Amino acid sequence: MTHGSTDRPQGPRRPTAADGVVVVDKPAGWTSHDVVARMRRLASTRKVGHAGTLDPMATGVLVLGIGRATRLLTYIVGADKEYTATIRLGVVTTTDDAEGETLATVDASGVTRAQVEAGAGALTGAIQQVPSAVSAIKVDGQRAYARVRAGEDVELAARPVMVSRFDVHDVRPGRTQEGSPVLDVDVTVVVSSGTYVRALARDLGAALGVGGHLTALRRTRVGGYGLDVARSLDDLGALPVDAPIDVVSLADSARATFPVRDLTADEARALSYGQAIDVLDGAPRDTVAGIDPSGRLVALLEERGGRIRPALVFAPA
């Protein structure tokens, strides 16, 4: 289902948006690419990218970079992510979510809340996860889901992920349309980049002996960006056409993602020329954002060879 042709701009072209980040609350049924295509029109620039794909079924936080902010997306993609989800125990599907075809149904009425919580606990922490066969992971140069659609059996290797939270909320008995007893479980998970929530649903169901899949998924946070700063595409599209859309500035985007080093004017000038500056005692050793006295993002900084060096320069020399 694509949405690229539904709202071509009428009349004057909107002014080009400033470089920065826009956080969209992705609607159900849209691909992440659909949202990028829509934002290219809203921002009047082709230079738009996203930080982390959401499946069409999923809703919630999709971080978009515009202009030079697309260079920050590599770092934002690696941030941890929070989701609310509903897992249906008792039904196995081809895709580990509600989009797929049913493979098996098992009576889940005997599963207790205590067992669900124990199963979620076993999937918390550093785990090895086998991604869903219909994921976008490449196998010999081709997306896994494309190989599955072509009729191949695809087995992906397990890989390390971190599930820092797997909280069980409401647990509700229900039935499939055919009358098989199921259990619907509302959860909140916080996971590292590259973790598949539908694989958690699958593995929880497998551990409980009844199978499981994901029926709802909403991403509530990516790194420092939550639903509190997300806007709907309808709201963005309703803005006056003679004004550029608002963005989170480069500096504020960097502040939401990295520790900050406040630079002197001389340090900012040196970094803008690609030169190194001194290490500060007690400063973070990870990538930091260098902000000049006027509040402008100068560069992302890393320590190498006992000096602080620019990893990515944003301010022109």
PDB file of all heavy atoms in Angstrom, residues 247-266:
ATOM      1  N   VAL A 247      11.498  22.393  12.020  1.00  0.00           N
ATOM      2  CA  VAL A 247      12.362  21.238  12.261  1.00  0.00           C
ATOM      3  C   VAL A 247      13.030  21.397  13.628  1.00  0.00           C
ATOM      4  O   VAL A 247      13.096  22.499  14.173  1.00  0.00           O
ATOM      5  CB  VAL A 247      13.459  21.115  11.178  1.00  0.00           C
ATOM      6  CG1 VAL A 247      12.845  20.973   9.792  1.00  0.00           C
ATOM      7  CG2 VAL A 247      14.438  22.286  11.220  1.00  0.00           C
ATOM      8  N   VAL A 248      13.508  20.292  14.172  1.00  0.00           N
ATOM      9  CA  VAL A 248      14.414  20.341  15.324  1.00  0.00           C
ATOM     10  C   VAL A 248      15.781  20.698  14.753  1.00  0.00           C
ATOM     11  O   VAL A 248      16.291  20.008  13.868  1.00  0.00           O
ATOM     12  CB  VAL A 248      14.464  18.984  16.054  1.00  0.00           C
ATOM     13  CG1 VAL A 248      15.408  19.053  17.243  1.00  0.00           C
ATOM     14  CG2 VAL A 248      13.067  18.550  16.497  1.00  0.00           C
ATOM     15  N   SER A 249      16.381  21.788  15.214  1.00  0.00           N
ATOM     16  CA  SER A 249      17.620  22.278  14.614  1.00  0.00           C
ATOM     17  C   SER A 249      18.741  21.242  14.714  1.00  0.00           C
ATOM     18  O   SER A 249      18.669  20.286  15.508  1.00  0.00           O
ATOM     19  CB  SER A 249      18.068  23.562  15.322  1.00  0.00           C
ATOM     20  OG  SER A 249      18.514  23.255  16.639  1.00  0.00           O
ATOM     21  N   LEU A 250      19.779  21.438  13.908  1.00  0.00           N
ATOM     22  CA  LEU A 250      20.933  20.534  13.959  1.00  0.00           C
ATOM     23  C   LEU A 250      21.489  20.435  15.373  1.00  0.00           C
ATOM     24  O   LEU A 250      21.790  19.343  15.864  1.00  0.00           O
ATOM     25  CB  LEU A 250      22.027  21.017  13.004  1.00  0.00           C
ATOM     26  CG  LEU A 250      21.854  20.704  11.519  1.00  0.00           C
ATOM     27  CD1 LEU A 250      22.953  21.389  10.709  1.00  0.00           C
ATOM     28  CD2 LEU A 250      21.891  19.206  11.280  1.00  0.00           C
ATOM     29  N   ALA A 251      21.633  21.597  16.048  1.00  0.00           N
ATOM     30  CA  ALA A 251      22.209  21.588  17.390  1.00  0.00           C
ATOM     31  C   ALA A 251      21.310  20.837  18.376  1.00  0.00           C
ATOM     32  O   ALA A 251      21.785  20.016  19.170  1.00  0.00           O
ATOM     33  CB  ALA A 251      22.442  23.021  17.870  1.00  0.00           C
ATOM     34  N   ASP A 252      19.995  21.107  18.330  1.00  0.00           N
ATOM     35  CA  ASP A 252      19.083  20.424  19.248  1.00  0.00           C
ATOM     36  C   ASP A 252      18.971  18.936  18.917  1.00  0.00           C
ATOM     37  O   ASP A 252      18.803  18.099  19.809  1.00  0.00           O
ATOM     38  CB  ASP A 252      17.708  21.084  19.224  1.00  0.00           C
ATOM     39  CG  ASP A 252      17.695  22.427  19.946  1.00  0.00           C
ATOM     40  OD1 ASP A 252      18.632  22.680  20.735  1.00  0.00           O
ATOM     41  OD2 ASP A 252      16.761  23.214  19.726  1.00  0.00           O
ATOM     42  N   SER A 253      19.071  18.594  17.622  1.00  0.00           N
ATOM     43  CA  SER A 253      19.073  17.188  17.233  1.00  0.00           C
ATOM     44  C   SER A 253      20.294  16.483  17.820  1.00  0.00           C
ATOM     45  O   SER A 253      20.199  15.353  18.315  1.00  0.00           O
ATOM     46  CB  SER A 253      19.101  17.059  15.706  1.00  0.00           C
ATOM     47  OG  SER A 253      17.990  17.691  15.123  1.00  0.00           O
ATOM     48  N   ALA A 254      21.434  17.140  17.746  1.00  0.00           N
ATOM     49  CA  ALA A 254      22.651  16.561  18.304  1.00  0.00           C
ATOM     50  C   ALA A 254      22.556  16.437  19.824  1.00  0.00           C
ATOM     51  O   ALA A 254      22.987  15.435  20.407  1.00  0.00           O
ATOM     52  CB  ALA A 254      23.862  17.412  17.913  1.00  0.00           C
ATOM     53  N   ARG A 255      21.952  17.443  20.475  1.00  0.00           N
ATOM     54  CA  ARG A 255      21.804  17.389  21.937  1.00  0.00           C
ATOM     55  C   ARG A 255      20.927  16.212  22.364  1.00  0.00           C
ATOM     56  O   ARG A 255      21.107  15.647  23.438  1.00  0.00           O
ATOM     57  CB  ARG A 255      21.165  18.682  22.458  1.00  0.00           C
ATOM     58  CG  ARG A 255      22.056  19.903  22.407  1.00  0.00           C
ATOM     59  CD  ARG A 255      21.322  21.122  22.961  1.00  0.00           C
ATOM     60  NE  ARG A 255      22.006  22.362  22.652  1.00  0.00           N
ATOM     61  CZ  ARG A 255      23.009  22.858  23.353  1.00  0.00           C
ATOM     62  NH1 ARG A 255      23.456  22.212  24.414  1.00  0.00           N
ATOM     63  NH2 ARG A 255      23.573  24.002  22.998  1.00  0.00           N
ATOM     64  N   ALA A 256      19.947  15.837  21.509  1.00  0.00           N
ATOM     65  CA  ALA A 256      19.051  14.727  21.839  1.00  0.00           C
ATOM     66  C   ALA A 256      19.717  13.369  21.645  1.00  0.00           C
ATOM     67  O   ALA A 256      19.173  12.351  22.072  1.00  0.00           O
ATOM     68  CB  ALA A 256      17.799  14.803  20.972  1.00  0.00           C
ATOM     69  N   THR A 257      20.896  13.374  21.018  1.00  0.00           N
ATOM     70  CA  THR A 257      21.529  12.111  20.652  1.00  0.00           C
ATOM     71  C   THR A 257      22.894  11.905  21.312  1.00  0.00           C
ATOM     72  O   THR A 257      23.291  10.772  21.565  1.00  0.00           O
ATOM     73  CB  THR A 257      21.701  12.049  19.110  1.00  0.00           C
ATOM     74  OG1 THR A 257      20.450  12.361  18.488  1.00  0.00           O
ATOM     75  CG2 THR A 257      22.144  10.668  18.651  1.00  0.00           C
ATOM     76  N   PHE A 258      23.609  12.981  21.607  1.00  0.00           N
ATOM     77  CA  PHE A 258      24.983  12.872  22.100  1.00  0.00           C
ATOM     78  C   PHE A 258      25.190  13.724  23.356  1.00  0.00           C
ATOM     79  O   PHE A 258      24.483  14.707  23.560  1.00  0.00           O
ATOM     80  CB  PHE A 258      25.984  13.396  21.048  1.00  0.00           C
ATOM     81  CG  PHE A 258      25.848  12.772  19.705  1.00  0.00           C
ATOM     82  CD1 PHE A 258      25.137  13.413  18.700  1.00  0.00           C
ATOM     83  CD2 PHE A 258      26.433  11.553  19.422  1.00  0.00           C
ATOM     84  CE1 PHE A 258      25.007  12.838  17.440  1.00  0.00           C
ATOM     85  CE2 PHE A 258      26.316  10.972  18.171  1.00  0.00           C
ATOM     86  CZ  PHE A 258      25.600  11.616  17.177  1.00  0.00           C
ATOM     87  N   PRO A 259      26.223  13.383  24.156  1.00  0.00           N
ATOM     88  CA  PRO A 259      26.699  14.351  25.151  1.00  0.00           C
ATOM     89  C   PRO A 259      27.228  15.585  24.408  1.00  0.00           C
ATOM     90  O   PRO A 259      27.601  15.495  23.227  1.00  0.00           O
ATOM     91  CB  PRO A 259      27.852  13.616  25.853  1.00  0.00           C
ATOM     92  CG  PRO A 259      27.710  12.179  25.480  1.00  0.00           C
ATOM     93  CD  PRO A 259      27.002  12.138  24.160  1.00  0.00           C
ATOM     94  N   VAL A 260      27.246  16.717  25.090  1.00  0.00           N
ATOM     95  CA  VAL A 260      27.635  17.983  24.451  1.00  0.00           C
ATOM     96  C   VAL A 260      28.941  18.503  25.031  1.00  0.00           C
ATOM     97  O   VAL A 260      29.171  18.442  26.245  1.00  0.00           O
ATOM     98  CB  VAL A 260      26.521  19.041  24.621  1.00  0.00           C
ATOM     99  CG1 VAL A 260      27.002  20.428  24.206  1.00  0.00           C
ATOM    100  CG2 VAL A 260      25.286  18.652  23.818  1.00  0.00           C
ATOM    101  N   ARG A 261      29.802  19.009  24.167  1.00  0.00           N
ATOM    102  CA  ARG A 261      30.950  19.791  24.610  1.00  0.00           C
ATOM    103  C   ARG A 261      30.752  21.215  24.119  1.00  0.00           C
ATOM    104  O   ARG A 261      30.610  21.461  22.918  1.00  0.00           O
ATOM    105  CB  ARG A 261      32.264  19.223  24.069  1.00  0.00           C
ATOM    106  CG  ARG A 261      33.462  20.137  24.386  1.00  0.00           C
ATOM    107  CD  ARG A 261      34.778  19.466  24.267  1.00  0.00           C
ATOM    108  NE  ARG A 261      35.884  20.406  24.383  1.00  0.00           N
ATOM    109  CZ  ARG A 261      37.164  20.063  24.386  1.00  0.00           C
ATOM    110  NH1 ARG A 261      37.507  18.776  24.281  1.00  0.00           N
ATOM    111  NH2 ARG A 261      38.112  20.970  24.497  1.00  0.00           N
ATOM    112  N   ASP A 262      30.709  22.154  25.077  1.00  0.00           N
ATOM    113  CA  ASP A 262      30.599  23.567  24.733  1.00  0.00           C
ATOM    114  C   ASP A 262      31.977  24.069  24.325  1.00  0.00           C
ATOM    115  O   ASP A 262      32.948  23.965  25.098  1.00  0.00           O
ATOM    116  CB  ASP A 262      30.056  24.371  25.914  1.00  0.00           C
ATOM    117  CG  ASP A 262      28.603  24.018  26.211  1.00  0.00           C
ATOM    118  OD1 ASP A 262      27.807  23.969  25.252  1.00  0.00           O
ATOM    119  OD2 ASP A 262      28.271  23.765  27.385  1.00  0.00           O
ATOM    120  N   LEU A 263      32.065  24.606  23.127  1.00  0.00           N
ATOM    121  CA  LEU A 263      33.347  25.017  22.554  1.00  0.00           C
ATOM    122  C   LEU A 263      33.584  26.510  22.736  1.00  0.00           C
ATOM    123  O   LEU A 263      32.640  27.309  22.736  1.00  0.00           O
ATOM    124  CB  LEU A 263      33.361  24.700  21.046  1.00  0.00           C
ATOM    125  CG  LEU A 263      33.090  23.248  20.645  1.00  0.00           C
ATOM    126  CD1 LEU A 263      32.897  23.164  19.132  1.00  0.00           C
ATOM    127  CD2 LEU A 263      34.235  22.341  21.093  1.00  0.00           C
ATOM    128  N   THR A 264      34.852  26.874  22.859  1.00  0.00           N
ATOM    129  CA  THR A 264      35.209  28.285  22.752  1.00  0.00           C
ATOM    130  C   THR A 264      35.197  28.664  21.272  1.00  0.00           C
ATOM    131  O   THR A 264      35.185  27.804  20.382  1.00  0.00           O
ATOM    132  CB  THR A 264      36.613  28.541  23.325  1.00  0.00           C
ATOM    133  OG1 THR A 264      37.581  27.873  22.486  1.00  0.00           O
ATOM    134  CG2 THR A 264      36.738  28.017  24.755  1.00  0.00           C
ATOM    135  N   ALA A 265      35.235  29.957  21.003  1.00  0.00           N
ATOM    136  CA  ALA A 265      35.251  30.411  19.607  1.00  0.00           C
ATOM    137  C   ALA A 265      36.490  29.896  18.890  1.00  0.00           C
ATOM    138  O   ALA A 265      36.423  29.502  17.712  1.00  0.00           O
ATOM    139  CB  ALA A 265      35.184  31.936  19.556  1.00  0.00           C
ATOM    140  N   ASP A 266      37.639  29.875  19.591  1.00  0.00           N
ATOM    141  CA  ASP A 266      38.876  29.391  18.964  1.00  0.00           C
ATOM    142  C   ASP A 266      38.790  27.894  18.666  1.00  0.00           C
ATOM    143  O   ASP A 266      39.239  27.436  17.605  1.00  0.00           O
ATOM    144  CB  ASP A 266      40.086  29.661  19.884  1.00  0.00           C
ATOM    145  CG  ASP A 266      40.460  31.139  19.921  1.00  0.00           C
ATOM    146  OD1 ASP A 266      40.002  31.881  19.020  1.00  0.00           O
ATOM    147  OD2 ASP A 266      41.189  31.539  20.846  1.00  0.00           O
TER     148      ASP A 266
END
